Structures are given as structure tokens and as C-alpha cells.
Amino acid sequence: MRIDIVTIFPEYFGPLGVSLIGKAAERGEITFAVHDLRHWTHDVHHTVDDAPFGGGPGMVMKPEPWGEALDAVVEQGVRRAAGQGQSPAAGQVQAEAVGRGQPPLLVIPTPSGVPFTQRRAVAYAAEPWLIFACGRYEGIDARVADDARSRLRVDEVSIGDYVLAGGEPAVLVMTEAVCRLLPGVLGNVASVADDSFGAGGGPMAGLVEGPSFTRPRLWRNLEVPPVLLSGDHGAIARWRRDEALKRTARNRPDLIRKLAPAQPDVAGVSRDTPRSPLNDHDRSVLSEAGFPVTGEDVAH
Ligand code: 6GU
């Protein structure tokens, strides 16, 4: 996978050289290219922002440097993919993508974008080439995204319901979420299937993960749950799902409501429609833990 990042703070991306992602980059499985937006300014002050039309606080990033930057990064990427100056693995993937005429996906972090979810991370991990455009101030002149849409797929994406001063930390977050899904980046491939949110459709689909334990068995008078030492893999899997259900109900009731949508009591419609991945055992676990599921338990 190739990832281009355009920013006015290239030094913000030092952490990409660290940890599992840094190792994957060293091996050539991921190629990062961080570009300084000011490279595409032409005034002595390297101006990237200006006051908003219509008035209001803050500054808006000017369209011209962004237009030139994105044109250059796309063109450089296409040329590189044609065969020069890259590690064989990443270059090969990219060359194949461009050979199929696949343009990069442009991702613009903004608090007003669509939510970045595990499902979106999985989709991005299948892309051979991503470009992130980090806005600062009050965002980028809206025509930049509109113009890019005439050539590229463009996603405006938010990492949560809070406001950051710039897109840089959001890009670090998204990069980590995407790159850990790439084959070979995580040591233990199976751990991705059990991830919280289970976008891969594993046993934890739609849930957050329950607690984990390691040695010693007794620590500060706290014991590891005995089932985990039982060797009974069926019982362990069931216990883990129960814990995931309870923790999800406690911390993320919104996710439980998605799994067990309030179903109108329509005659002839089964209670366990395919929309609801919660079975009777799941419902009784939640009910016993004090989280009634859409009044099901009341109806019984
Ligand atoms: Cl992607 N960018 C900024 N600036 N703030 C955010 C965000 C992104 N996601 C949530 N808040």
C-alpha cells in the first residue's frame, strides 16, 4: 500500500516510523510519503490560508496550493508506479493498481465528514493507494474537494464527535487503524478477526471486546476468571462473548440497540429476524446483567 500525506506539519508524522507500522514500512509493505503543502506556495511568506468569504472567525486554507499539491502527488505517484525508485513490493502493488486505471482514494479529515469506523478501515486497507489531505484552521476551501472529485474518489471523514485543531492527528489515527489490517503488519493475524466492532464479521460482530488476562493467576488478591484456565474452548468462547455483551451494554448501549433493534410486534414476524444477531442466550445474559433488550424479556 502507498500512503501520501499532504500537511503543513510534516514533522507531525515521525511516529509512522515507529512500532509495527514503522517495521512494515522498513520491509517495504507500506510506503509513506509526507509532503509539505508550503512547497506549492509561491509567495515569500508561503501563505496557505486566508480570511473566509462571508466573514466569521478563523482562517480557511487557500485552494491554489492544495490544487497544485494534489495534482503533483497524483502525477508523481502514477509515474513512480510506472517503475522507478520504490521498493519492489509496494511498487508492484501500486503499478498493478495504476495498470488497472485505478486512481488513488483521497481522504480529507474534517469534523464534518462521515464517521471513520472499523468497516471503513477495512475498506481502506483494500486500497492500493491513499492520499490524506490535512486541513488546518477552519478547513480547506470547499472547491478543492469538488475539483478533486472530477478525477478522484474523495471521502471527507471524521474520527469522532469532537473538534481537533487540524487533520494531522486524525490521519495518524486512521493510518494506524488501516495499516494494522494489512497482511503481515500485525504479528498475530487471527487477532484482527476478534477485534472490537468485528467488521470482519467474526464472533464479536458489533460488540466491543471483553477483558483480557495474563500471568500471574493471582495478583493483588485478584484472580483470573477460572473458565480461562479450564481448557474448555467452547466454554471460553461463550464466556468471552458474554463478557463482550455486558461490556458493550455498559459502555456502548448504542451498539446493543443496533444488534437488537426495537421490533414492532407484527403478527407472523419472528422475534429473531436475521436483523438481530442476538440469540436467546445473549438476551438472557444482558437481562441478568440488568440490561433488558427491547422489552423482549418482559414479553416472555
Ligand atoms: Cl478528521 N479533523 C479535525 N480537524 N477534527 C476532527 C476530526 C478530523 N475528526 C473529529 N474531529
Short mmCIF file of all heavy atoms in Angstrom, two decimals, residues 107-114 116 134-139 156-171 174, ligand 1:
data_model
loop_
_atom_site.label_atom_id
_atom_site.label_comp_id
_atom_site.label_asym_id
_atom_site.label_seq_id
_atom_site.Cartn_x
_atom_site.Cartn_y
_atom_site.Cartn_z
N VAL A 107 -8.54 11.11 0.93
CA VAL A 107 -9.26 11.19 2.21
C VAL A 107 -8.97 12.54 2.85
O VAL A 107 -7.80 12.90 3.06
CB VAL A 107 -8.83 10.05 3.15
CG1 VAL A 107 -9.60 10.15 4.48
CG2 VAL A 107 -9.06 8.69 2.50
N ILE A 108 -10.01 13.30 3.12
CA ILE A 108 -9.88 14.62 3.73
C ILE A 108 -10.46 14.56 5.13
O ILE A 108 -11.68 14.42 5.30
CB ILE A 108 -10.59 15.71 2.89
CG1 ILE A 108 -10.07 15.68 1.44
CG2 ILE A 108 -10.38 17.08 3.53
CD1 ILE A 108 -10.73 16.70 0.51
N PRO A 109 -9.60 14.62 6.17
CA PRO A 109 -10.12 14.60 7.52
C PRO A 109 -10.79 15.91 7.87
O PRO A 109 -10.24 16.98 7.61
CB PRO A 109 -8.87 14.37 8.39
CG PRO A 109 -7.72 14.80 7.56
CD PRO A 109 -8.13 14.67 6.11
N THR A 110 -11.98 15.82 8.40
CA THR A 110 -12.73 17.01 8.82
C THR A 110 -13.79 16.59 9.82
O THR A 110 -14.40 15.53 9.66
CB THR A 110 -13.40 17.71 7.62
OG1 THR A 110 -14.39 18.64 8.13
CG2 THR A 110 -14.09 16.74 6.69
N PRO A 111 -14.01 17.42 10.86
CA PRO A 111 -15.03 17.04 11.84
C PRO A 111 -16.43 16.97 11.22
O PRO A 111 -17.33 16.41 11.82
CB PRO A 111 -14.95 18.13 12.90
CG PRO A 111 -14.12 19.22 12.32
CD PRO A 111 -13.30 18.63 11.24
N SER A 112 -16.61 17.52 10.01
CA SER A 112 -17.94 17.45 9.39
C SER A 112 -18.07 16.30 8.41
O SER A 112 -19.07 16.21 7.68
CB SER A 112 -18.27 18.79 8.72
OG SER A 112 -17.18 19.25 7.98
N GLY A 113 -17.07 15.39 8.41
CA GLY A 113 -17.11 14.27 7.48
C GLY A 113 -17.96 13.10 7.95
O GLY A 113 -18.58 13.15 9.02
N VAL A 114 -17.98 12.03 7.14
CA VAL A 114 -18.67 10.80 7.53
C VAL A 114 -17.82 10.10 8.60
O VAL A 114 -16.60 10.25 8.63
CB VAL A 114 -18.91 9.85 6.33
CG1 VAL A 114 -19.83 10.50 5.31
CG2 VAL A 114 -17.59 9.42 5.69
N PHE A 116 -15.44 7.76 10.63
CA PHE A 116 -14.43 6.72 10.38
C PHE A 116 -14.74 5.56 11.33
O PHE A 116 -14.72 5.73 12.54
CB PHE A 116 -13.03 7.26 10.64
CG PHE A 116 -11.95 6.27 10.34
CD1 PHE A 116 -11.66 5.92 9.02
CD2 PHE A 116 -11.21 5.67 11.36
CE1 PHE A 116 -10.66 5.00 8.73
CE2 PHE A 116 -10.22 4.76 11.06
CZ PHE A 116 -9.95 4.42 9.75
N CYS A 134 -4.41 17.00 4.91
CA CYS A 134 -4.65 17.52 6.26
C CYS A 134 -4.97 19.00 6.24
O CYS A 134 -4.11 19.82 5.92
CB CYS A 134 -3.42 17.31 7.14
SG CYS A 134 -2.94 15.60 7.31
N GLY A 135 -6.18 19.33 6.63
CA GLY A 135 -6.57 20.73 6.75
C GLY A 135 -6.25 21.26 8.13
O GLY A 135 -6.15 20.52 9.09
N ARG A 136 -6.06 22.57 8.21
CA ARG A 136 -5.88 23.26 9.49
C ARG A 136 -6.87 24.40 9.53
O ARG A 136 -7.68 24.56 8.61
CB ARG A 136 -4.45 23.82 9.61
CG ARG A 136 -3.45 22.76 9.98
CD ARG A 136 -3.09 22.87 11.45
NE ARG A 136 -2.87 21.54 12.01
CZ ARG A 136 -2.69 21.32 13.32
NH1 ARG A 136 -2.71 22.31 14.17
NH2 ARG A 136 -2.52 20.10 13.75
N TYR A 137 -6.81 25.21 10.52
CA TYR A 137 -7.69 26.37 10.63
C TYR A 137 -9.14 25.93 10.50
O TYR A 137 -9.54 24.92 11.07
CB TYR A 137 -7.30 27.45 9.60
CG TYR A 137 -5.81 27.67 9.53
CD1 TYR A 137 -5.06 27.21 8.46
CD2 TYR A 137 -5.14 28.29 10.58
CE1 TYR A 137 -3.69 27.40 8.43
CE2 TYR A 137 -3.77 28.49 10.55
CZ TYR A 137 -3.05 28.03 9.47
OH TYR A 137 -1.71 28.21 9.43
N GLU A 138 -9.94 26.66 9.76
CA GLU A 138 -11.36 26.32 9.64
C GLU A 138 -11.62 25.41 8.45
O GLU A 138 -12.73 25.33 7.96
CB GLU A 138 -12.19 27.60 9.51
CG GLU A 138 -12.12 28.49 10.74
CD GLU A 138 -12.63 27.81 12.00
OE1 GLU A 138 -13.74 27.28 11.99
OE2 GLU A 138 -11.87 27.79 13.00
N GLY A 139 -10.59 24.70 8.00
CA GLY A 139 -10.79 23.78 6.90
C GLY A 139 -10.19 24.29 5.61
O GLY A 139 -9.52 25.33 5.56
N GLU A 156 -14.65 12.66 2.71
CA GLU A 156 -14.44 13.57 3.84
C GLU A 156 -14.85 12.80 5.08
O GLU A 156 -15.97 12.33 5.20
CB GLU A 156 -15.26 14.84 3.66
CG GLU A 156 -14.74 15.67 2.47
CD GLU A 156 -15.53 16.94 2.24
OE1 GLU A 156 -16.69 16.84 1.79
OE2 GLU A 156 -14.99 18.02 2.51
N VAL A 157 -13.88 12.64 6.01
CA VAL A 157 -14.04 11.68 7.10
C VAL A 157 -13.72 12.31 8.44
O VAL A 157 -12.75 13.06 8.57
CB VAL A 157 -13.09 10.46 6.85
CG1 VAL A 157 -13.24 9.44 7.95
CG2 VAL A 157 -13.37 9.83 5.50
N SER A 158 -14.53 11.98 9.45
CA SER A 158 -14.32 12.45 10.82
C SER A 158 -13.98 11.27 11.71
O SER A 158 -14.55 10.19 11.56
CB SER A 158 -15.59 13.12 11.34
OG SER A 158 -15.56 13.24 12.75
N ILE A 159 -13.08 11.47 12.67
CA ILE A 159 -12.76 10.37 13.58
C ILE A 159 -13.56 10.43 14.88
O ILE A 159 -13.38 9.58 15.75
CB ILE A 159 -11.25 10.27 13.90
CG1 ILE A 159 -10.75 11.52 14.63
CG2 ILE A 159 -10.45 9.99 12.64
CD1 ILE A 159 -9.41 11.29 15.33
N GLY A 160 -14.47 11.37 15.03
CA GLY A 160 -15.27 11.37 16.25
C GLY A 160 -15.94 12.71 16.47
O GLY A 160 -15.63 13.70 15.79
N ASP A 161 -16.83 12.75 17.44
CA ASP A 161 -17.63 13.96 17.66
C ASP A 161 -16.94 14.91 18.62
O ASP A 161 -17.38 15.11 19.76
CB ASP A 161 -19.03 13.58 18.16
CG ASP A 161 -19.83 12.87 17.09
OD1 ASP A 161 -19.43 12.95 15.89
OD2 ASP A 161 -20.84 12.24 17.42
N TYR A 162 -15.84 15.46 18.16
CA TYR A 162 -15.09 16.47 18.90
C TYR A 162 -14.28 17.20 17.83
O TYR A 162 -14.17 16.70 16.70
CB TYR A 162 -14.16 15.84 19.95
CG TYR A 162 -13.51 14.59 19.44
CD1 TYR A 162 -12.38 14.64 18.61
CD2 TYR A 162 -14.04 13.35 19.73
CE1 TYR A 162 -11.82 13.51 18.10
CE2 TYR A 162 -13.47 12.19 19.23
CZ TYR A 162 -12.36 12.27 18.42
OH TYR A 162 -11.82 11.12 17.90
N VAL A 163 -13.72 18.34 18.17
CA VAL A 163 -13.02 19.12 17.15
C VAL A 163 -11.52 19.20 17.47
O VAL A 163 -11.13 19.57 18.57
CB VAL A 163 -13.62 20.54 17.04
CG1 VAL A 163 -12.86 21.36 16.00
CG2 VAL A 163 -15.10 20.47 16.67
N LEU A 164 -10.72 18.79 16.50
CA LEU A 164 -9.26 18.89 16.61
C LEU A 164 -8.82 20.17 15.92
O LEU A 164 -9.54 20.71 15.08
CB LEU A 164 -8.59 17.70 15.94
CG LEU A 164 -9.04 16.31 16.40
CD1 LEU A 164 -8.49 15.24 15.47
CD2 LEU A 164 -8.58 16.07 17.83
N ALA A 165 -7.62 20.64 16.23
CA ALA A 165 -7.12 21.85 15.59
C ALA A 165 -6.71 21.59 14.15
O ALA A 165 -6.62 22.50 13.34
CB ALA A 165 -5.93 22.40 16.38
N GLY A 166 -6.49 20.32 13.81
CA GLY A 166 -6.09 20.00 12.45
C GLY A 166 -6.27 18.53 12.16
O GLY A 166 -6.52 17.73 13.06
N GLY A 167 -6.16 18.18 10.88
CA GLY A 167 -6.40 16.80 10.47
C GLY A 167 -5.25 15.84 10.79
O GLY A 167 -5.41 14.63 10.69
N GLU A 168 -4.08 16.38 11.21
CA GLU A 168 -2.90 15.52 11.37
C GLU A 168 -3.11 14.36 12.35
O GLU A 168 -2.83 13.21 11.99
CB GLU A 168 -1.68 16.35 11.75
CG GLU A 168 -1.07 17.14 10.58
CD GLU A 168 -1.79 18.44 10.27
OE1 GLU A 168 -2.75 18.77 11.00
OE2 GLU A 168 -1.42 19.11 9.29
N PRO A 169 -3.57 14.65 13.58
CA PRO A 169 -3.76 13.51 14.48
C PRO A 169 -4.80 12.53 13.96
O PRO A 169 -4.67 11.32 14.17
CB PRO A 169 -4.20 14.14 15.81
CG PRO A 169 -4.46 15.57 15.54
CD PRO A 169 -3.81 15.94 14.25
N ALA A 170 -5.81 13.03 13.26
CA ALA A 170 -6.82 12.14 12.68
C ALA A 170 -6.18 11.21 11.64
O ALA A 170 -6.54 10.03 11.54
CB ALA A 170 -7.95 12.95 12.06
N VAL A 171 -5.23 11.73 10.88
CA VAL A 171 -4.57 10.90 9.87
C VAL A 171 -3.70 9.83 10.54
O VAL A 171 -3.64 8.69 10.08
CB VAL A 171 -3.77 11.76 8.88
CG1 VAL A 171 -2.88 10.90 7.99
CG2 VAL A 171 -4.73 12.59 8.04
N MET A 174 -6.20 7.18 11.63
CA MET A 174 -6.73 6.37 10.52
C MET A 174 -5.64 5.47 9.94
O MET A 174 -5.90 4.31 9.61
CB MET A 174 -7.32 7.28 9.45
CG MET A 174 -8.60 7.95 9.90
SD MET A 174 -9.47 8.80 8.56
CE MET A 174 -8.79 10.43 8.72
CL1 6GU B 1 -10.86 14.20 10.87
N1 6GU B 1 -10.33 16.63 11.77
C1 6GU B 1 -10.47 17.61 12.66
N2 6GU B 1 -9.84 18.76 12.47
N3 6GU B 1 -11.20 17.50 13.75
C2 6GU B 1 -11.82 16.33 13.91
C3 6GU B 1 -11.73 15.28 13.02
C4 6GU B 1 -10.97 15.47 11.94
N4 6GU B 1 -12.47 14.26 13.46
C5 6GU B 1 -13.00 14.68 14.58
N5 6GU B 1 -12.62 15.91 14.87
#
